[in-house]
C-alpha cells in the first residue's frame, strides 16, 4: 500500500459505527475488541464504503445496490501514484485537470481527487444508471464546478474530451473480463481461492470485448492521435498478464516515457501503467515485469572453476526446494526454448558433475506454493499459540469474516 495511504492502518469498525448508525447494525463481533462486517453482504459493504468516504474525506455517497460498490484503499492508492507522476513535470497541484474514463455510479475517483488534492475532473460514463447516480453524487458534494460528469457513447477519449483543452492526466479502471466464464472464475488458477467479497457490478461494468487489454489497447491507439493534449495517460489493470502485452504495444508505437507500478492492499494486487508524449517529461525506462515481484538474493563463496561453482549454486537451489530446468543457451530469454530436462525437486533428486558441466543458465520454478496466504497463516499461528485465546473467542470459519484490511479490496 502507498506510503501516504491513510488506510495503511486498518479502520476500527466499532469506532466508525459510533458515528454512523447505519453501519452499526451490520457489525459482527469476531472476538473481544475485534469487529468486522459480512463482506458478502452488499448492503453491509455499501454502508462501510459510505461511512469511510464520509469519515475520512467528507464525501457523501448514495450508491445503487445493483452497481459496483467501490472500495476506497485501492482507489486512493491509484490517485496517490498519479500524484507521484505529476512531480515529474510540475510543482504544486494547481490547475490539475484529470479525466476519469468510466466513472461509475459513485464518481469516486473524481470526488476523491477533488476532496484530497483539489483537482478538477471530466468524468465520463456510458451506462445511464451510473451516469444519473454519478451526477447526483457530484451534486450532493457541491462539486459541480470542479467535476463534470458527461454521458458518452463510443470511444474512450477522442470525441469525448474538450477540443483544445489541456488535461494533466487521464485514468481508467477498465472492465477486467472478456466473457462471463472468465468473470465467474472458469479461468482462475486452481491454487487461488475465490474472491471473499461480494461483487455487485453489472456485466457492463466488468466485462468488455477482448477484456482489459483490448480496452486499454484502444486508449493507446487514441493517445497516439491526442499526443500531449493529455500529459499522462494512466490505467489500472487487474491481470498481470495484461501488463506485458500493453507494454509491448506501447513499445510498438514508440512511446519513450513509460512507468509501471503495483498497487497492493490486503490480499489484492493490481498493476498500473502510465505513458506520456510530453516533452516536459524526460524519457523513462519502465522495469521488466519480472522486476515487479520481490527479488531474493544470496551470496556464495568464490569457487575455483565453473563446474564447482555450478554445483555450489545447485546445492543452494536444492535447499530452497525449487525445480530447475536447464537452458544451455545463456543468451536466450525465451522459456519455451529451454530444454525439457527437469532436474526435479531437490528433495528427491541430486545433480552429478555431468549435469553441472553443461549448465550455464537455468529457469527456476517453485516446487510448492508456500507463500499464498502467508500473512493469514501467521495470524492463525499467533492466535493458536496465545494463552488467552479461550477468552478471545474463536475466529469464525466462514469466509465472510476475515481480516478487515484484507477484505476491503477483494473486489473492484
Amino acid at each position: 500500500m502507498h506510503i501516504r495511504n491513510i488506510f495503511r492502518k486498518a479502520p476500527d469498525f466499532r469506532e466508525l459505527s459510533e458515528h454512523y448508525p447505519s453501519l452499526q447494525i451490520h457489525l459482527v463481533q469476531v472476538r473481544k475488541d475485534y469487529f468486522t462486517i459480512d463482506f458478502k453482504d452488499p448492503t453491509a459493504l455499501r454502508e462501510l464504503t459510505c461511512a469511510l468516504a464520509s469519515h475520512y474525506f467528507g464525501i457523501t455517497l448514495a450508491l445503487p445496490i445493483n452497481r459496483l460498490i467501490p472500495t476506497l484503499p485501492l482507489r486512493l492508492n491509484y490517485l496517490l501514484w498519479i500524484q507521484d507522476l505529476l512531480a515529474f513535470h510540475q510543482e504544486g497541484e494547481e490547475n490539475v485537470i484529470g479525466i476519469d474514463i468510466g466513472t461509475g455510479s459513485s464518481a469516486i475517483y473524481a470526488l476523491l481527487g477533488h476532496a484530497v488534492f483539489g483537482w478538477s475532473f471530466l468524468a465520463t460514463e456510458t451506462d445511464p444508471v451510473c451516469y444519473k447516480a454519478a451526477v447526483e453524487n457530484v451534486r450532493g458534494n457541491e462539486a459541480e464546478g470542479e467535476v463534470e460528469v458527461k454521458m458518452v457513447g463510443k470511444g474512450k477519449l477522442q470525441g469525448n474530451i474538450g477540443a483544445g483543452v489541456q488535461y494533466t492526466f487521464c485514468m481508467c479502471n477498465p472492465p477486467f473480463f472478456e466473457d462471463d466464464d472468465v468473470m465467474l472464475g472458469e479461468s482462475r488458477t486452481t491454487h487461488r481461492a475465490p474472491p471473499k467479497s461480494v461483487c455487485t457490478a453489472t456485466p457492463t461494468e466488468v466485462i468488455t470485448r477482448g477484456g482489459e487489454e483490448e480496452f486499454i489497447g484502444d486508449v493507446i491507439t487514441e493517445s497516439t492521435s491526442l499526443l500531449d493534449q493529455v500529459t499522462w495517460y494512466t490505467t489500472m489493470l487487474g491481470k498481470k498478464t495484461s501488463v506485458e502485452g500493453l507494454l509491448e504495444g506501447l513499445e510498438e508505437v514508440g512511446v519513450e516515457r513509460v512507468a509501471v507500478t503495483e498497487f497492493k492492499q490486503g490480499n489484492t494486487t493490481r498493476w498500473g501503467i502510465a505513458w506520456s508524449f510530453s516533452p516536459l517529461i524526460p524519457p523513462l525506462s519502465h522495469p521488466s515485469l519480472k522486476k515487479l515481484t520481490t527479488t531474493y538474493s544470496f551470496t556464495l563463496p568464490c569457487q575455483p572453476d565453473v563446474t564447482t561453482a555450478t554445483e555450489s549454486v545447485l546445492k543452494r537451489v536444492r535447499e530452497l526446494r525449487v525445480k530447475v530446468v536447464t537452458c544451455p543457451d545463456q543468451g536466450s530469454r525465451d522459456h519455451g526454448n529451454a530444454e525439457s530436462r527437469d532436474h526435479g525437486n531437490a528433495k528427491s533428486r541430486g545433480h552429478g558433475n555431468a549435469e553441472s558441466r553443461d549448465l550455464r543458465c537455468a529457469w527456476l520454478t517453485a516446487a510448492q506454493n508456500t507463500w499464498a496466504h502467508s500473512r493469514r497463516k501467521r495470524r492463525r499461528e499467533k492466535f493458536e499459540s496465545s494463552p488467552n485465546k479461550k477468552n478471545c473467542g474463536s475466529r469464525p470459519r466462514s469466509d465472510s469474516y476475515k481480516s478487515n484490511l484484507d477484505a476491503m479490496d477483494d473486489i473492484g
Side-chain angles (χ1 to χ4, degrees), residues 59 82 141 147 161 179 181 314:
I59 296 173
I82 290 176
N141 288 277
V147 178
I161 65 176
D179 55 49
D181 289 340
L314 290 176

Side-chain angles (χ1 to χ4, degrees), residues 94-311:
E94 297 81 10
N95 302 318
V96 172
I97 305 175
I99 306 166
D100 180 17
I101 303 174
T103 196
S105 63
S106 62
I108 190 61
Y109 282 120
L111 290 175
L112 269 178
H114 176 57
V116 178
F117 307 111
W119 298 341
S120 300
F121 276 85
L122 169 63
T124 65
E125 182 52 58
T126 60
D127 178 80
V129 175
C130 288
Y131 168 75
K132 181 178 179 181
V135 169
E136 291 299 321
N137 277 312
V138 170
R139 183 179 297 124
N141 288 277
E142 300 180 351
E144 303 100 309
E146 300 296 333
V147 178
E148 177 190 356
V149 183
K150 184 176 182 179
M151 185 73 181
V152 298
K154 296 181 179 180
K156 278 66 178 180
L157 292 170
Q158 282 186 312
N160 299 330
I161 65 176
V165 179
Q166 181 65 44
Y167 295 94
T168 316
F169 66 88
C170 75
M171 62 189 309
C172 182
N173 186 9
F176 292 163
F177 308 112
E178 54 185 309
D179 55 49
D180 291 328
D181 289 340
V182 176
M183 183 184 73
L184 295 173
E186 297 296 328
S187 65
R188 198 178 184 89
T189 52
T190 56
H191 72 274
R192 292 181 61 198
K196 303 296 176 66
S197 300
V198 67
C199 179
T200 60
T202 61
T204 57
E205 292 179 285
V206 293
I207 298 175
T208 185
R209 183 196 64 198
E212 62 183 5
E213 188 169 344
E214 184 170 328
F215 189 100
I216 299 303
D218 292 343
V219 178
I220 292 175
T221 299
E222 293 186 15
S223 74
T224 59
S225 298
L226 296 169
L227 297 174
D228 60 353
Q229 184 181 351
V230 179
T231 304
W232 279 108
Y233 300 86
T234 77
T235 183
M236 183 166 65
L237 301 166
K239 295 190 291 184
K240 188 175 182 180
T241 53
S242 301
V243 181
E244 280 188 335
L246 291 171
L247 291 178
E248 290 174 1
L250 289 168
E251 187 175 356
E252 288 175 2
V253 298
V255 180
E256 297 181 344
R257 299 163 179 85
V258 181
V260 183
T261 194
E262 276 184 341
F263 305 110
K264 289 187 176 182
Q265 45 287 313
N267 289 329
T268 301
T269 301
R270 298 285 185 259
W271 292 267
I273 298 180
W275 67 99
S276 180
F277 299 92
S278 172
L280 299 175
I281 299 171
L284 302 170
S285 58
H286 64 79
S288 164
L289 188 59
K290 296 181 178 62
K291 294 181 181 178
L292 294 177
T293 57
T294 304
T295 301
Y296 299 93
S297 62
F298 54 88
T299 304
L300 296 172
C302 182
Q303 302 296 336
D305 53 68
V306 173
T307 299
T308 307
T310 303
E311 289 175 348

